[in-house]
């Protein structure tokens, strides 16, 4: 089934965020494990922190693009309730992505840790060092990941359902090789 596809920019931003998330989540889980060689732990922390900044930038860019160029409508074959659930799921996904990135940023900044990419660009730190604020941000970041992973899995399962069970064209609208 041929449906209007997402614009190439929207697809590129989607897949960049997806790939970076799929790399950052396991890096975040591994980097806090005890017994890792220090060089590996440091490398994973640097990767995780800096890719988090990139993800935040891409999500904000994607939201701005989406506001300017709304996504194509769902096909009429998708029930209204399912369309509402899809919109809600996307909204929750964006909120969780922003909460994760901001809480990670606050954790690093208030914790007094370097944020190599922004430090190299001499971006000023808006927050003073505060262990209490850093701990709250750390908790938010820790617990929000479970919701984020759950919503990502739901999103992937819904996409696969549309692509391989319903075969209604919804999946191909975002897939990069859709040829559109």
């Amino acid at each position: 089934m041929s449906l209007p596809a997402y614009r190439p920019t929207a697809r590129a931003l989607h897949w960049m965020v997806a790939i970076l998330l799929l790399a950052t989540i396991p890096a975040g889980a591994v980097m806090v494990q005890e017994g890792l060689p220090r060089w590996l732990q440091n490398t994973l922390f640097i990767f995780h922190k800096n890719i988090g900044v990139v993800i935040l930038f891409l999500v904000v860019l994607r939201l701005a693009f989406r506001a300017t160029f709304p996504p194509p409508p769902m096909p009429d074959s998708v029930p209204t309730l399912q369309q509402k659930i899809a919109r809600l799921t996307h909204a929750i996904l964006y909120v969780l992505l922003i909460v994760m990135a901001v809480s990670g940023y606050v954790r690093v900044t208030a914790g007094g840790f370097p944020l190599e990419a922004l430090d190299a660009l001499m971006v000023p730190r808006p927050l003073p060092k505060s262990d209490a604020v850093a701990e709250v941000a750390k908790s938010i970041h820790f617990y929000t990941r479970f919701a984020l992973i759950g919503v990502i899995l739901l999103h992937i399962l819904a996409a696969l359902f549309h692509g391989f069970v319903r075969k209604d064209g919804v999946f191909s609208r975002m897939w990069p090789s859709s040829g559109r």
Side-chain angles (χ1 to χ4, degrees), residues 102-111 127-141:
V102 170
S103 64
Y105 176 79
V106 170
R107 160 69 173 126
V108 169
T109 302
L127 298 173
K129 185 171 179 351
S130 168
D131 292 338
V133 171
E135 281 304 311
V136 169
K138 181 180 175 181
S139 292
I140 291 169
H141 196 74

Side-chain angles (χ1 to χ4, degrees), residues 43-64:
T43 301
L44 291 173
F45 268 103
I46 291 168
F47 172 80
H48 187 82
K49 292 183 299 181
N50 290 285
I51 294 302
V53 171
V54 173
I55 290 170
L56 178 59
F57 173 75
L58 292 173
V59 167
V60 169
L61 191 61
R62 180 133 190 253
L63 285 169

Side-chain angles (χ1 to χ4, degrees), residues 2-178:
S2 181
L3 296 173
Y6 280 83
R7 293 173 183 263
T9 303
R11 291 197 319 257
L13 289 168
H14 173 274
W15 288 105
M16 282 189 278
V17 169
I19 289 166
L20 292 174
L21 271 174
L22 292 177
T24 304
I25 291 171
V30 171
M31 72 188 192
V32 295
Q33 300 302 312
E34 292 190 27
L36 283 182
R38 193 67 189 159
W39 67 267
L40 177 58
Q41 193 173 38
N42 287 342
T43 301
L44 291 173
F45 268 103
I46 291 168
F47 172 80
H48 187 82
K49 292 183 299 181
N50 290 285
I51 294 302
V53 171
V54 173
I55 290 170
L56 178 59
F57 173 75
L58 292 173
V59 167
V60 169
L61 191 61
R62 180 133 190 253
L63 285 169
F65 187 84
R66 189 179 177 106
T68 307
F69 301 101
M74 289 280 224
D76 293 335
S77 63
V78 177
T80 303
L81 179 61
Q82 197 175 12
Q83 290 184 35
K84 288 179 182 179
I85 292 169
R87 283 191 296 275
L88 178 63
T89 302
H90 280 99
I92 291 169
L93 190 53
Y94 283 119
V95 167
L96 291 172
L97 288 169
I98 291 169
V99 168
M100 285 297 288
V102 170
S103 64
Y105 176 79
V106 170
R107 160 69 173 126
V108 169
T109 302
F113 299 106
L115 195 48
E116 295 77 7
L118 295 180
D119 292 346
L121 296 171
M122 292 186 260
V123 174
R125 295 195 174 221
L127 298 173
K129 185 171 179 351
S130 168
D131 292 338
V133 171
E135 281 304 311
V136 169
K138 181 180 175 181
S139 292
I140 291 169
H141 196 74
F142 177 83
Y143 289 110
T144 302
R145 75 176 169 160
F146 298 113
L148 180 60
I149 290 168
V151 175
I152 289 170
L153 289 174
L154 180 64
H155 181 70
I156 291 169
L157 289 172
L160 293 173
F161 175 74
H162 282 284
F164 298 106
V165 176
R166 292 208 55 195
K167 299 179 183 177
D168 57 7
V170 171
F171 179 84
S172 63
R173 297 177 335 146
M174 185 55 82
W175 190 249
S177 63
S178 66

